[in-house]
């Protein structure tokens, strides 16, 4: 709780600075994906800024994550967009009536990640590493933020039950198997 409070406080105090840095570095050098120390550092800085910006869940931050995900040309930036979004509650703090929109955005990304990246263009080939990541991202999402959770948890017991329910649902997915890596992606 202390870490969450500190993160939320820093996010509130430095929102403009995080957004400025994020916007300055979100597109890299314009040459597409490059694997070098400068670009790796830029992607990491960008991910940290997006994570702090997304700490206060609103439709605007959900859309920011969605846009980064859809416009990314590499897995690092896509994962950096997915993780904070999956931790958004399915409701917004903004009182803007966007509750259903946040859940729709989360589901669009999860569906895209599964169908386009994990399953490949043909839909028959499975990239096991990417599919493991798809399971892991959903399993690691905070309880009240899980895309499959019906409502945010009100107590720690409710939160634990939401996580357990989500993991059981994922365990019953057609692509889940008891391969050690798949199992670890789901239960840690």
């Amino acid at each position: 709780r202390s870490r969450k409070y500190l993160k939320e406080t820093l996010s509130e105090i430095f929102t403009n600075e995080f957004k400025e840095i994020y916007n300055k570095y979100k597109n890299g050098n314009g040459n597409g994906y490059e694997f070098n120390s400068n670009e790796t550092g830029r992607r990491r800085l960008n991910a940290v800024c997006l994570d702090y910006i997304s700490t206060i869940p609103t439709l605007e931050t959900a859309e920011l994550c969605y846009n980064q995900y859809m416009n990314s040309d590499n897995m690092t930036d896509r994962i950096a967009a997915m993780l904070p979004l999956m931790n958004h509650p399915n409701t917004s703090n903004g009182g803007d009536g966007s509750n259903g929109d946040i859940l729709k955005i989360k589901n669009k990304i999860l569906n895209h990640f599964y169908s386009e990246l994990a399953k490949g263009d043909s839909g028959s080939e499975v990239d096991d590493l990417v599919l493991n990541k798809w399971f892991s991202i959903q399993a690691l999402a905070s309880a009240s933020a899980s895309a499959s959770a019906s409502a945010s948890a009100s107590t720690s017991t409710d939160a634990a039950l939401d996580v357990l329910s989500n993991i059981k649902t994922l365990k019953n997915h057609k692509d889940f198997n008891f391969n050690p890596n798949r199992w670890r992606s789901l239960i840690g």
Side-chain angles (χ1 to χ4, degrees):
R1 292 184 187 234
S2 297
R3 185 177 186 278
K4 182 180 178 191
Y5 174 76
L6 177 62
K7 189 174 179 183
E8 288 172 352
T9 301
L10 289 172
S11 178
E12 287 176 11
I13 293 170
F14 296 109
T15 296
N16 292 334
E17 289 82 355
F18 286 128
K19 286 181 179 178
E20 182 180 325
I21 293 168
Y22 174 81
N23 287 323
K24 182 176 181 181
Y25 294 107
K26 70 180 176 184
N27 295 322
N29 61 15
N31 293 332
Y33 178 81
E34 291 181 15
F35 183 70
N36 60 51
S37 59
N38 286 337
E39 284 298 297
T40 300
R42 180 201 59 77
R43 284 189 294 275
R44 181 68 186 129
L45 177 62
N46 214 37
V48 168
C49 288
L50 183 59
D51 188 44
Y52 273 98
I53 292 166
S54 299
T55 300
I56 309 300
T58 63
L59 180 58
E60 177 188 359
T61 58
E63 288 172 342
L64 187 66
C65 291
Y66 177 80
N67 289 332
Q68 174 169 316
Y69 175 89
M70 295 308 290
N71 294 316
S72 294
D73 63 356
N74 63 81
M75 190 63 73
T76 302
D77 286 342
R78 284 194 166 133
I79 299 295
M82 284 181 79
L83 289 173
L85 178 61
M86 292 305 125
N87 285 313
H88 264 53
N90 293 335
T91 59
S92 158
N93 283 347
D96 54 10
S98 61
N99 301 348
D101 293 335
I102 291 175
L103 184 57
K104 285 178 188 172
I105 290 170
K106 291 164 90 172
N107 286 332
K108 276 184 189 177
I109 285 179
L110 286 171
N111 291 335
H112 180 272
F113 194 87
Y114 176 78
S115 65
E116 300 294 323
L117 303 175
K119 297 295 267 184
D121 293 332
S122 67
S124 60
E125 298 175 22
V126 175
D127 184 326
D128 286 325
L129 294 175
V130 177
L131 190 57
N132 289 345
K133 195 57 136 169
W134 182 80
F135 278 107
S136 178
I137 287 169
Q138 292 178 83
L140 291 173
S142 65
S144 63
S146 173
S148 62
S150 59
S152 63
S154 58
T155 67
S156 59
T157 303
D158 290 342
L161 291 173
D162 282 351
V163 169
L164 184 58
S165 173
N166 190 40
I167 288 173
K168 284 180 178 179
T169 299
L170 290 167
K171 187 177 86 60
N172 291 323
H173 189 275
K174 67 179 181 171
D175 286 318
F176 183 78
N177 58 44
F178 287 95
N179 170 299
N181 292 328
R182 184 74 37 87
W183 184 253
R184 191 175 313 119
S185 72
L186 189 57
I187 64 164

